[in-house]
Amino acid sequence: MAYRSRNVNINYFQKSIGMLMLGYRNASFILSHKGNAIKAESTDLGMNWVVHQFVERTAVGLSKDDLRLISALAETTNNNFDALRFLSRKTRTEEINADVELFCRILPIVRKEYCRALWRWLRNIAQMDEILVCGGTASFIRQELTEHFDGEGIPICWNGGMELPKYLDTMGLGDRIADAWASHISHIKFLDHELSYDRQDKPLVPDYYVQTIQEF
């Protein structure tokens, strides 16, 4: 939100802007009205809600603590449903196929119910002119979020409009470290302002940046 506030083209200090953070354990929301945070709410509608419902409804002996479960569910957003095969505890091919068919049938239902619960929660919180969205679970339901806020007529901004420079993303983390990069940039710009340093539009990270290889 601090990063977004520095964009002079959106009139941040004239609007009510919400920020929705969807993580594993919960969903959190902050509302800023003309630059002042006036509301903060949190609920247990995180990815764990999806995992719990998926395990309960499939009822084939899955464990919500299985680390492969979240990865497999996340892969389905890329239309990779083969990842679900590894969740089956069966050994015979026909039984594994039956489990996969069950998983593919139950997951859309769970996603829809999760989104429905999320919309109900948000509707009771606040009216806003724009919403910033971030968090790993937000990527899981990115299409649903986009369609919902488009339908509500609320502009949606992913990660505050921040994009990690590709030359710095050496580990392929992308949006998962958006908060760290946005915090860094905001701090640098704050220091520029406090120290009256004129950066003269020089990029903070040049295009020719190459990660230094440390020798041991």
Side-chain angles (χ1 to χ4, degrees), residues 13-198:
F13 295 99
Q14 304 299 320
K15 296 180 178 180
S16 289
I17 297 182
M19 181 167 68
L20 176 64
M21 300 158 282
L22 299 178
Y24 178 77
R25 295 177 181 82
N26 54 40
S28 299
F29 178 85
I30 294 175
L31 181 67
S32 174
H33 180 66
K34 294 184 177 181
N36 298 310
I38 61 173
K39 182 173 290 188
E41 301 282 348
S42 184
T43 181
D44 60 357
L45 290 172
M47 188 64 181
N48 63 328
W49 191 97
V50 176
V51 170
H52 178 77
Q53 291 295 318
F54 184 76
V55 169
E56 290 292 317
R57 292 180 182 233
T58 52
V60 289
L62 299 180
S63 171
K64 60 183 178 61
D65 298 319
D66 187 342
L67 298 179
R68 299 175 304 166
L69 186 55
I70 299 176
S71 298
L73 294 180
E75 282 296 320
T76 63
T77 61
N78 299 318
N79 294 318
N80 179 15
F81 293 94
D82 286 340
L84 297 176
R85 298 186 65 84
F86 299 102
L87 298 180
S88 177
R89 304 179 67 180
K90 308 294 177 29
T91 55
R92 298 173 59 186
T93 301
E94 59 270 23
E95 292 179 338
I96 294 175
N97 291 338
D99 274 354
V100 173
E101 290 177 5
L102 174 65
F103 298 157
C104 291
R105 187 170 69 253
I106 294 298
L107 182 56
I109 297 174
V110 172
R111 286 173 67 110
K112 184 178 294 185
E113 293 190 357
Y114 171 71
C115 291
R116 190 177 298 143
L118 195 61
W119 308 154
R120 284 197 300 267
W121 176 64
L122 286 173
R123 192 172 293 115
N124 294 326
I125 293 180
Q127 298 294 320
M128 66 200 93
D129 301 309
E130 178 182 87
I131 187 164
L132 314 183
V133 179
C134 59
T137 305
S139 298
F140 178 67
I141 57 167
R142 186 182 183 108
Q143 180 177 343
E144 290 87 346
L145 285 167
T146 301
E147 292 175 353
H148 173 75
F149 289 114
D150 279 349
E152 294 287 322
I154 301 174
I156 182 172
C157 177
W158 293 88
N159 299 309
M162 192 289 305
E163 292 186 9
L164 181 69
K166 61 181 181 180
Y167 291 97
L168 291 184
D169 194 9
T170 56
M171 301 299 292
L173 296 174
D175 292 347
R176 284 172 287 182
I177 53 173
D179 53 349
W181 179 245
S183 177
H184 170 72
I185 293 297
S186 295
H187 183 65
I188 292 298
K189 290 186 175 181
F190 167 77
L191 291 178
D192 285 353
H193 179 268
E194 291 296 307
L195 299 175
S196 299
Y197 176 71
D198 184 5

